[in-house]
Amino acid sequence: MSLKCGIVGLPNVGKSTLFNCLSSAKAQAANFPFCTIEPNVGVITVPDERLNKLAEIVHPERIVPATVEIVDIAGLVKGASKGEGLGNKFLANIRETDAIIHVLRCFDDGNVVHVDGSVDPVRDKEIIDTELQLKDLETIEARLPKVQKLAQVGNDKEAKVQYEIMSAVKAALLEGKSARTVTSQLQSPEEIQAAKELFLLTSKPILYVCNVDEASAQSGNAYVEKVREAVKDEDAEVLVISAKIESEIAELESYDERQMFLGELGLEESGVNRLIHSAYSLLGLQTYITAGPMEVKAWTFRKGMKAPQCAGIIHGDFEKGFIRAEVIKYDDYLQYGSEAAVREAGKLGVEGKEYVVQDGDIMHFRFNV
């Protein structure tokens, strides 16, 4: 399952520094706008201690964690929706992502210039919001007349659903709101599918990352509080990270050194790990696991998927010829110490086509093609 998050923000807010911490791909970090012109792409692993615990029991040849693709997209300025700066390239790159990680500068530093001359994360957020909303409005207005005609003249039910959604989205955009304020409230499969087919920029799920100074890494600061207040009515999450601290952590060689460094700062977990977990959750993703002598592997699936769909993630034939799924709960595997012991204890579940797979399930699929 290929999944992509785009890191966006105004120039010089710490996007590329954060990207470098997330990925082994090294983006150029420089104190001037547009040092990131082509989007840098990195594949990052999703930290999951469960895989290591299972590997201690199974002793596989390899461990394969889940991954998410992260794209560092060029900084945006006012007028991007009209092609200013690198606007057209920015908008094309962001359209290809599944979710947005919006980095906001929440620190003062006279040595790092701000493209607008002062630090104001709420203003910065609104600049990008406005540019994305304007582009979505342009998309809606270009398509609306044709859809309206189909909805009003014929008996096209799909067109009627799409027209209602587009009209509601247009009204929201004209009020300065993002499309997600409408699309996140949709209930029926027909409405959800119609919204997806619009490919709107502001309907994508979003995570706001407040990039703070070292002293504010644990509890945030006044800038962060302003951001929280500004996004309280949005369907979005706010995460506090110090990109400077994360870059220092990334340079440490061992796990123990990193944990000691975090402990000295009063932090339980690195911001990078928290960001990866948040991005994974933002996309509505969970993990099931396969465990055997060849490998212990995490498989990414969308929350709510049933057993045959999850089997199909491994191979299409698994879904076509699905018979049943043998399921072991992670805690049971750890408690009994082997698959054989789990079976003997009667803790192995045999599930059919309607079983909704849960995060952490250890799965074995039976199929016949």
PDB file of all heavy atoms in Angstrom, residues 214 216-220 240-242 245-246 249 258-271 274:
ATOM      1  N   GLU A 214      14.601  24.892  21.498  1.00  0.00           N
ATOM      2  CA  GLU A 214      14.898  23.791  22.417  1.00  0.00           C
ATOM      3  C   GLU A 214      14.170  23.927  23.752  1.00  0.00           C
ATOM      4  O   GLU A 214      13.649  22.947  24.290  1.00  0.00           O
ATOM      5  CB  GLU A 214      16.411  23.723  22.650  1.00  0.00           C
ATOM      6  CG  GLU A 214      16.844  22.537  23.468  1.00  0.00           C
ATOM      7  CD  GLU A 214      18.361  22.414  23.548  1.00  0.00           C
ATOM      8  OE1 GLU A 214      19.027  22.549  22.510  1.00  0.00           O
ATOM      9  OE2 GLU A 214      18.852  22.191  24.664  1.00  0.00           O
ATOM     10  N   SER A 216      11.367  25.120  24.414  1.00  0.00           N
ATOM     11  CA  SER A 216       9.904  24.950  24.322  1.00  0.00           C
ATOM     12  C   SER A 216       9.488  23.555  23.866  1.00  0.00           C
ATOM     13  O   SER A 216       8.302  23.291  23.681  1.00  0.00           O
ATOM     14  CB  SER A 216       9.321  25.990  23.351  1.00  0.00           C
ATOM     15  OG  SER A 216       9.695  27.297  23.718  1.00  0.00           O
ATOM     16  N   ALA A 217      10.467  22.654  23.694  1.00  0.00           N
ATOM     17  CA  ALA A 217      10.188  21.341  23.102  1.00  0.00           C
ATOM     18  C   ALA A 217       9.246  20.495  23.949  1.00  0.00           C
ATOM     19  O   ALA A 217       8.500  19.686  23.422  1.00  0.00           O
ATOM     20  CB  ALA A 217      11.493  20.588  22.871  1.00  0.00           C
ATOM     21  N   GLN A 218       9.282  20.692  25.270  1.00  0.00           N
ATOM     22  CA  GLN A 218       8.481  19.843  26.146  1.00  0.00           C
ATOM     23  C   GLN A 218       7.046  20.336  26.292  1.00  0.00           C
ATOM     24  O   GLN A 218       6.102  19.552  26.236  1.00  0.00           O
ATOM     25  CB  GLN A 218       9.139  19.758  27.528  1.00  0.00           C
ATOM     26  CG  GLN A 218       8.568  18.667  28.407  1.00  0.00           C
ATOM     27  CD  GLN A 218       9.384  18.462  29.666  1.00  0.00           C
ATOM     28  OE1 GLN A 218      10.315  19.190  29.943  1.00  0.00           O
ATOM     29  NE2 GLN A 218       9.027  17.452  30.446  1.00  0.00           N
ATOM     30  N   SER A 219       6.876  21.651  26.440  1.00  0.00           N
ATOM     31  CA  SER A 219       5.532  22.164  26.748  1.00  0.00           C
ATOM     32  C   SER A 219       5.015  23.209  25.760  1.00  0.00           C
ATOM     33  O   SER A 219       3.911  23.730  25.933  1.00  0.00           O
ATOM     34  CB  SER A 219       5.516  22.748  28.164  1.00  0.00           C
ATOM     35  OG  SER A 219       6.522  23.742  28.308  1.00  0.00           O
ATOM     36  N   GLY A 220       5.798  23.527  24.735  1.00  0.00           N
ATOM     37  CA  GLY A 220       5.346  24.527  23.761  1.00  0.00           C
ATOM     38  C   GLY A 220       5.602  25.941  24.244  1.00  0.00           C
ATOM     39  O   GLY A 220       6.316  26.175  25.222  1.00  0.00           O
ATOM     40  N   VAL A 240       4.082  19.389  18.615  1.00  0.00           N
ATOM     41  CA  VAL A 240       5.187  20.300  18.948  1.00  0.00           C
ATOM     42  C   VAL A 240       6.509  19.562  18.799  1.00  0.00           C
ATOM     43  O   VAL A 240       6.724  18.516  19.418  1.00  0.00           O
ATOM     44  CB  VAL A 240       5.049  20.841  20.387  1.00  0.00           C
ATOM     45  CG1 VAL A 240       6.227  21.742  20.732  1.00  0.00           C
ATOM     46  CG2 VAL A 240       3.736  21.594  20.548  1.00  0.00           C
ATOM     47  N   ILE A 241       7.398  20.112  17.983  1.00  0.00           N
ATOM     48  CA  ILE A 241       8.704  19.493  17.713  1.00  0.00           C
ATOM     49  C   ILE A 241       9.767  20.585  17.618  1.00  0.00           C
ATOM     50  O   ILE A 241       9.502  21.672  17.099  1.00  0.00           O
ATOM     51  CB  ILE A 241       8.673  18.696  16.386  1.00  0.00           C
ATOM     52  CG1 ILE A 241       7.886  17.396  16.560  1.00  0.00           C
ATOM     53  CG2 ILE A 241      10.073  18.383  15.888  1.00  0.00           C
ATOM     54  CD1 ILE A 241       7.822  16.558  15.300  1.00  0.00           C
ATOM     55  N   SER A 242      10.960  20.283  18.090  1.00  0.00           N
ATOM     56  CA  SER A 242      12.100  21.161  17.852  1.00  0.00           C
ATOM     57  C   SER A 242      12.974  20.493  16.797  1.00  0.00           C
ATOM     58  O   SER A 242      13.646  19.493  17.075  1.00  0.00           O
ATOM     59  CB  SER A 242      12.915  21.379  19.128  1.00  0.00           C
ATOM     60  OG  SER A 242      14.140  22.027  18.826  1.00  0.00           O
ATOM     61  N   ILE A 245      16.591  20.100  17.859  1.00  0.00           N
ATOM     62  CA  ILE A 245      16.863  18.951  18.726  1.00  0.00           C
ATOM     63  C   ILE A 245      16.868  17.663  17.920  1.00  0.00           C
ATOM     64  O   ILE A 245      17.745  16.804  18.095  1.00  0.00           O
ATOM     65  CB  ILE A 245      15.810  18.859  19.857  1.00  0.00           C
ATOM     66  CG1 ILE A 245      16.022  19.986  20.869  1.00  0.00           C
ATOM     67  CG2 ILE A 245      15.872  17.502  20.560  1.00  0.00           C
ATOM     68  CD1 ILE A 245      14.975  20.021  21.965  1.00  0.00           C
ATOM     69  N   GLU A 246      15.894  17.527  17.013  1.00  0.00           N
ATOM     70  CA  GLU A 246      15.797  16.307  16.217  1.00  0.00           C
ATOM     71  C   GLU A 246      17.027  16.103  15.342  1.00  0.00           C
ATOM     72  O   GLU A 246      17.476  14.973  15.143  1.00  0.00           O
ATOM     73  CB  GLU A 246      14.530  16.337  15.353  1.00  0.00           C
ATOM     74  CG  GLU A 246      13.232  16.390  16.126  1.00  0.00           C
ATOM     75  CD  GLU A 246      13.067  15.269  17.137  1.00  0.00           C
ATOM     76  OE1 GLU A 246      13.373  14.114  16.794  1.00  0.00           O
ATOM     77  OE2 GLU A 246      12.647  15.562  18.271  1.00  0.00           O
ATOM     78  N   ILE A 249      19.688  14.731  17.604  1.00  0.00           N
ATOM     79  CA  ILE A 249      19.423  13.325  17.907  1.00  0.00           C
ATOM     80  C   ILE A 249      19.846  12.441  16.735  1.00  0.00           C
ATOM     81  O   ILE A 249      20.432  11.374  16.918  1.00  0.00           O
ATOM     82  CB  ILE A 249      17.921  13.101  18.217  1.00  0.00           C
ATOM     83  CG1 ILE A 249      17.541  13.771  19.542  1.00  0.00           C
ATOM     84  CG2 ILE A 249      17.596  11.607  18.282  1.00  0.00           C
ATOM     85  CD1 ILE A 249      16.047  13.751  19.831  1.00  0.00           C
ATOM     86  N   ARG A 258      20.771   8.193  22.243  1.00  0.00           N
ATOM     87  CA  ARG A 258      19.591   9.000  21.898  1.00  0.00           C
ATOM     88  C   ARG A 258      18.624   9.067  23.076  1.00  0.00           C
ATOM     89  O   ARG A 258      18.082  10.122  23.386  1.00  0.00           O
ATOM     90  CB  ARG A 258      18.898   8.420  20.669  1.00  0.00           C
ATOM     91  CG  ARG A 258      19.727   8.534  19.397  1.00  0.00           C
ATOM     92  CD  ARG A 258      19.033   7.907  18.207  1.00  0.00           C
ATOM     93  NE  ARG A 258      19.851   8.011  16.996  1.00  0.00           N
ATOM     94  CZ  ARG A 258      19.479   7.603  15.809  1.00  0.00           C
ATOM     95  NH1 ARG A 258      18.285   7.055  15.643  1.00  0.00           N
ATOM     96  NH2 ARG A 258      20.279   7.738  14.773  1.00  0.00           N
ATOM     97  N   GLN A 259      18.415   7.911  23.745  1.00  0.00           N
ATOM     98  CA  GLN A 259      17.508   7.889  24.891  1.00  0.00           C
ATOM     99  C   GLN A 259      18.046   8.725  26.041  1.00  0.00           C
ATOM    100  O   GLN A 259      17.290   9.405  26.736  1.00  0.00           O
ATOM    101  CB  GLN A 259      17.282   6.438  25.348  1.00  0.00           C
ATOM    102  CG  GLN A 259      16.478   5.595  24.356  1.00  0.00           C
ATOM    103  CD  GLN A 259      15.139   6.220  24.004  1.00  0.00           C
ATOM    104  OE1 GLN A 259      14.899   6.654  22.874  1.00  0.00           O
ATOM    105  NE2 GLN A 259      14.241   6.281  24.977  1.00  0.00           N
ATOM    106  N   MET A 260      19.354   8.694  26.244  1.00  0.00           N
ATOM    107  CA  MET A 260      19.969   9.490  27.307  1.00  0.00           C
ATOM    108  C   MET A 260      19.803  10.984  27.016  1.00  0.00           C
ATOM    109  O   MET A 260      19.476  11.781  27.900  1.00  0.00           O
ATOM    110  CB  MET A 260      21.457   9.142  27.425  1.00  0.00           C
ATOM    111  CG  MET A 260      22.164   9.780  28.628  1.00  0.00           C
ATOM    112  SD  MET A 260      23.908   9.315  28.716  1.00  0.00           S
ATOM    113  CE  MET A 260      23.756   7.531  28.919  1.00  0.00           C
ATOM    114  N   PHE A 261      19.997  11.350  25.755  1.00  0.00           N
ATOM    115  CA  PHE A 261      19.849  12.741  25.338  1.00  0.00           C
ATOM    116  C   PHE A 261      18.415  13.218  25.546  1.00  0.00           C
ATOM    117  O   PHE A 261      18.170  14.306  26.068  1.00  0.00           O
ATOM    118  CB  PHE A 261      20.255  12.879  23.867  1.00  0.00           C
ATOM    119  CG  PHE A 261      20.213  14.280  23.336  1.00  0.00           C
ATOM    120  CD1 PHE A 261      21.161  15.217  23.705  1.00  0.00           C
ATOM    121  CD2 PHE A 261      19.206  14.674  22.446  1.00  0.00           C
ATOM    122  CE1 PHE A 261      21.116  16.520  23.208  1.00  0.00           C
ATOM    123  CE2 PHE A 261      19.153  15.966  21.950  1.00  0.00           C
ATOM    124  CZ  PHE A 261      20.116  16.884  22.336  1.00  0.00           C
ATOM    125  N   LEU A 262      17.458  12.374  25.162  1.00  0.00           N
ATOM    126  CA  LEU A 262      16.042  12.712  25.355  1.00  0.00           C
ATOM    127  C   LEU A 262      15.721  12.864  26.838  1.00  0.00           C
ATOM    128  O   LEU A 262      14.989  13.772  27.239  1.00  0.00           O
ATOM    129  CB  LEU A 262      15.148  11.634  24.737  1.00  0.00           C
ATOM    130  CG  LEU A 262      15.050  11.604  23.211  1.00  0.00           C
ATOM    131  CD1 LEU A 262      14.385  10.307  22.745  1.00  0.00           C
ATOM    132  CD2 LEU A 262      14.283  12.808  22.693  1.00  0.00           C
ATOM    133  N   GLY A 263      16.263  11.953  27.656  1.00  0.00           N
ATOM    134  CA  GLY A 263      16.024  11.999  29.093  1.00  0.00           C
ATOM    135  C   GLY A 263      16.533  13.294  29.717  1.00  0.00           C
ATOM    136  O   GLY A 263      15.873  13.876  30.590  1.00  0.00           O
ATOM    137  N   GLU A 264      17.684  13.758  29.246  1.00  0.00           N
ATOM    138  CA  GLU A 264      18.241  15.012  29.762  1.00  0.00           C
ATOM    139  C   GLU A 264      17.352  16.209  29.434  1.00  0.00           C
ATOM    140  O   GLU A 264      17.331  17.197  30.157  1.00  0.00           O
ATOM    141  CB  GLU A 264      19.641  15.233  29.173  1.00  0.00           C
ATOM    142  CG  GLU A 264      20.683  14.255  29.717  1.00  0.00           C
ATOM    143  CD  GLU A 264      22.009  14.358  28.986  1.00  0.00           C
ATOM    144  OE1 GLU A 264      22.089  15.155  28.007  1.00  0.00           O
ATOM    145  OE2 GLU A 264      22.957  13.643  29.366  1.00  0.00           O
ATOM    146  N   LEU A 265      16.598  16.091  28.354  1.00  0.00           N
ATOM    147  CA  LEU A 265      15.697  17.171  27.942  1.00  0.00           C
ATOM    148  C   LEU A 265      14.290  16.990  28.520  1.00  0.00           C
ATOM    149  O   LEU A 265      13.409  17.826  28.286  1.00  0.00           O
ATOM    150  CB  LEU A 265      15.608  17.227  26.417  1.00  0.00           C
ATOM    151  CG  LEU A 265      16.895  17.611  25.670  1.00  0.00           C
ATOM    152  CD1 LEU A 265      16.728  17.398  24.175  1.00  0.00           C
ATOM    153  CD2 LEU A 265      17.281  19.059  25.958  1.00  0.00           C
ATOM    154  N   GLY A 266      14.074  15.895  29.239  1.00  0.00           N
ATOM    155  CA  GLY A 266      12.752  15.635  29.819  1.00  0.00           C
ATOM    156  C   GLY A 266      11.744  15.112  28.814  1.00  0.00           C
ATOM    157  O   GLY A 266      10.534  15.246  29.008  1.00  0.00           O
ATOM    158  N   LEU A 267      12.240  14.491  27.736  1.00  0.00           N
ATOM    159  CA  LEU A 267      11.358  13.966  26.682  1.00  0.00           C
ATOM    160  C   LEU A 267      11.372  12.443  26.697  1.00  0.00           C
ATOM    161  O   LEU A 267      12.435  11.824  26.831  1.00  0.00           O
ATOM    162  CB  LEU A 267      11.811  14.472  25.305  1.00  0.00           C
ATOM    163  CG  LEU A 267      11.829  16.000  25.109  1.00  0.00           C
ATOM    164  CD1 LEU A 267      12.507  16.344  23.786  1.00  0.00           C
ATOM    165  CD2 LEU A 267      10.427  16.556  25.149  1.00  0.00           C
ATOM    166  N   GLU A 268      10.199  11.819  26.562  1.00  0.00           N
ATOM    167  CA  GLU A 268      10.099  10.370  26.579  1.00  0.00           C
ATOM    168  C   GLU A 268      10.381   9.755  25.210  1.00  0.00           C
ATOM    169  O   GLU A 268      10.886   8.645  25.103  1.00  0.00           O
ATOM    170  CB  GLU A 268       8.700   9.939  27.044  1.00  0.00           C
ATOM    171  CG  GLU A 268       8.414  10.288  28.502  1.00  0.00           C
ATOM    172  CD  GLU A 268       7.053   9.809  28.950  1.00  0.00           C
ATOM    173  OE1 GLU A 268       6.364   9.116  28.155  1.00  0.00           O
ATOM    174  OE2 GLU A 268       6.670  10.126  30.088  1.00  0.00           O
ATOM    175  N   GLU A 269      10.032  10.471  24.169  1.00  0.00           N
ATOM    176  CA  GLU A 269      10.149   9.949  22.806  1.00  0.00           C
ATOM    177  C   GLU A 269      10.562  11.068  21.872  1.00  0.00           C
ATOM    178  O   GLU A 269      10.218  12.226  22.084  1.00  0.00           O
ATOM    179  CB  GLU A 269       8.800   9.360  22.368  1.00  0.00           C
ATOM    180  CG  GLU A 269       8.819   8.649  21.037  1.00  0.00           C
ATOM    181  CD  GLU A 269       7.461   8.082  20.652  1.00  0.00           C
ATOM    182  OE1 GLU A 269       6.442   8.589  21.162  1.00  0.00           O
ATOM    183  OE2 GLU A 269       7.408   7.144  19.847  1.00  0.00           O
ATOM    184  N   SER A 270      11.319  10.737  20.845  1.00  0.00           N
ATOM    185  CA  SER A 270      11.742  11.773  19.898  1.00  0.00           C
ATOM    186  C   SER A 270      10.539  12.331  19.149  1.00  0.00           C
ATOM    187  O   SER A 270       9.529  11.653  18.953  1.00  0.00           O
ATOM    188  CB  SER A 270      12.745  11.193  18.887  1.00  0.00           C
ATOM    189  OG  SER A 270      12.090  10.370  17.949  1.00  0.00           O
ATOM    190  N   GLY A 271      10.657  13.585  18.742  1.00  0.00           N
ATOM    191  CA  GLY A 271       9.592  14.223  17.972  1.00  0.00           C
ATOM    192  C   GLY A 271       9.374  13.536  16.647  1.00  0.00           C
ATOM    193  O   GLY A 271       8.246  13.454  16.152  1.00  0.00           O
ATOM    194  N   ARG A 274       7.138  10.577  17.155  1.00  0.00           N
ATOM    195  CA  ARG A 274       5.762  11.031  17.384  1.00  0.00           C
ATOM    196  C   ARG A 274       5.139  11.502  16.086  1.00  0.00           C
ATOM    197  O   ARG A 274       3.960  11.264  15.816  1.00  0.00           O
ATOM    198  CB  ARG A 274       5.747  12.158  18.426  1.00  0.00           C
ATOM    199  CG  ARG A 274       6.022  11.679  19.844  1.00  0.00           C
ATOM    200  CD  ARG A 274       5.839  12.775  20.871  1.00  0.00           C
ATOM    201  NE  ARG A 274       6.890  13.777  20.796  1.00  0.00           N
ATOM    202  CZ  ARG A 274       6.691  15.045  20.463  1.00  0.00           C
ATOM    203  NH1 ARG A 274       5.471  15.485  20.171  1.00  0.00           N
ATOM    204  NH2 ARG A 274       7.699  15.899  20.423  1.00  0.00           N
TER     205      ARG A 274
END
